[in-house]
Amino acid sequence: MLSNKSLSIAVWPSGADQYDRAVKLARRLNIPLVQTETREYEFLLFCSANGLGLKQTGKNGLRPIMISFTNPTMIYRLKHGGGRGQALARAVGLKKGWQPAVIDATAGLGRDGFILASLGCQVHMLERSPILAVLLEDALLRAEHSKLTAGIIKEHLQFSHTDSMEFLQNLRSQDYPDVIYLDPMYPERTKSSLVKKEMRMLRRVAGDDKDAAELLTIALGCIRNRVVVKRPRLASTLGKIRPSHQITGKTSRFDVYLI
Ligand SMILES: C[S@@+](CC[C@H](N)C(=O)[O-])C[C@H]1O[C@@H](n2cnc3c(N)ncnc32)[C@H](O)[C@@H]1O
């Protein structure tokens, strides 16, 4: 069921053999099914032989999103992203002999969670948007069948479609993770690079995450080691809590809250 009821979206089987899948998806999400490509809806969730994608219709529609953990950009990042030396890894405290259990409480397109999993962390990704959840599930399934990524997915990654606030509040203390990672939507991410365009579309579909400061407060009560919050490099901190330290990368900053 969609949480964002004002979202204008339908499922479209873009390949002839995708009809049954599209029907199931439309039922699961409780949204309409269309037989042909149409601009009647702002978004189309399209089922194709290559995977499940999200397309913004209309003349100025942004580039379709299909999450992939095996596309050239991700493979390049896996091979040349800096390993344990990259800012994300340092922020979660990854080091030789310590590969923390991480809850990625704002999974989104799953990229950060996947990178952490590839570096050996046990990652549980949580996402509340039903649309993002089905896109992620589809990408994870495809990645599970790729030689390059099967090991990472099967051994290090778990995904749940849920609201993290609820999930964390129901965690028993013995199940608290070492790290909770947060990368909530940031309203000013509106400039024109490809990634930012993708984020714009994500925000239309998943919302503004205006409750992110509350999520941080909850997260701080459920960890063994730290909460890490990703922010744009020059943005203010989330809420009023001061981080223990910050790690600044080229475009992003990681605010680290140690307990
Ligand atoms: C900016 S995106 C995260 C991008 C992600 N780090 C990546 O690498 O692709 C933020 C996501 O967090 C999700 N989110 C925000 N608050 C959440 C919550 N309380 N529970 C679950 N998901 C949440 C939003 O729906 C959105 O998809």
Side-chain angles (χ1 to χ4, degrees):
M1 192 70 148
L2 280 185
S3 53
N4 180 356
K5 296 220 169 54
S6 64
L7 193 66
S8 160
I9 185 164
V11 180
W12 166 48
S14 74
D17 53 346
Q18 299 293 318
Y19 183 76
D20 290 350
R21 188 179 176 204
V23 171
K24 279 190 198 139
L25 198 59
R27 274 200 201 124
R28 171 175 166 187
L29 296 168
N30 195 20
I31 58 177
L33 173 78
V34 293
Q35 308 281 353
T36 49
E37 191 168 9
T38 168
R39 286 190 182 166
E40 201 186 327
Y41 297 89
E42 184 184 353
F43 290 100
L44 289 178
L45 201 52
F46 61 93
C47 302
S48 75
N50 294 331
L52 186 65
L54 179 70
K55 183 182 166 81
Q56 192 170 30
T57 64
K59 259 200 258 147
N60 300 319
L62 300 170
R63 231 177 71 144
I65 291 179
M66 185 179 288
I67 303 177
S68 171
F69 299 114
T70 53
N71 65 19
T73 316
M74 190 49 100
I75 297 301
Y76 184 87
R77 202 173 155 192
L78 282 183
K79 290 189 177 150
H80 308 286
R84 285 201 294 254
Q86 63 188 288
L88 170 65
R90 285 187 287 127
V92 300
L94 198 75
K95 55 184 174 224
K96 207 171 176 192
W98 197 63
Q99 287 152 326
V102 180
I103 288 186
D104 175 359
T106 55
L109 302 175
R111 289 177 292 215
D112 293 331
F114 177 74
I115 291 295
L116 289 172
S118 77
L119 294 171
C121 298
Q122 288 302 328
V123 180
H124 191 168
M125 299 200 292
L126 312 177
E127 173 55 53
R128 67 179 164 189
S129 154
I131 303 294
L132 265 299
V134 292
L135 289 170
L136 263 171
E137 283 169 11
D138 176 70
L140 288 168
L141 205 66
R142 277 181 278 120
E144 216 177 285
H145 290 105
S146 156
K147 267 193 200 145
L148 278 170
T149 49
I152 301 171
I153 307 293
K154 286 185 187 150
E155 285 155 37
H156 293 276
L157 211 50
Q158 195 187 337
F159 172 70
S160 301
H161 170 211
T162 181
D163 189 305
S164 300
M165 292 205 230
E166 225 177 281
F167 182 91
L168 295 175
Q169 280 167 328
N170 287 321
L171 266 187
R172 297 171 308 172
S173 54
Q174 62 266 38
D175 296 327
Y176 286 177
D178 299 309
V179 177
I180 295 178
Y181 178 72
L182 306 178
D183 174 19
M185 220 67 86
Y186 189 72
E188 284 161 39
R189 286 175 176 177
T190 50
K191 298 216 181 88
S192 61
S193 78
L194 188 64
V195 173
K196 285 175 178 160
K197 279 187 180 165
E198 217 169 41
M199 280 299 153
R200 248 162 58 198
M201 191 151 141
L202 206 70
R203 190 175 317 115
R204 279 285 301 130
V205 171
D208 274 341
D209 296 348
K210 291 208 172 90
D211 51 0
E214 196 188 329
L215 178 57
L216 170 60
T217 307
I218 295 170
L220 285 166
C222 306
I223 30 143
R224 294 178 192 279
N225 186 266
R226 68 186 66 193
V227 177
V228 175
V229 182
K230 184 178 182 183
R231 305 290 284 160
R233 202 166 68 88
L234 301 173
S236 57
T237 55
L238 189 60
K240 294 210 166 71
I241 313 160
R242 274 186 53 179
S244 315
H245 64 272
Q246 301 179 313
I247 294 175
T248 307
K250 274 187 222 140
T251 55
S252 310
R253 190 187 75 226
F254 297 95
D255 293 348
V256 181
Y257 301 79
L258 294 167
I259 53 152

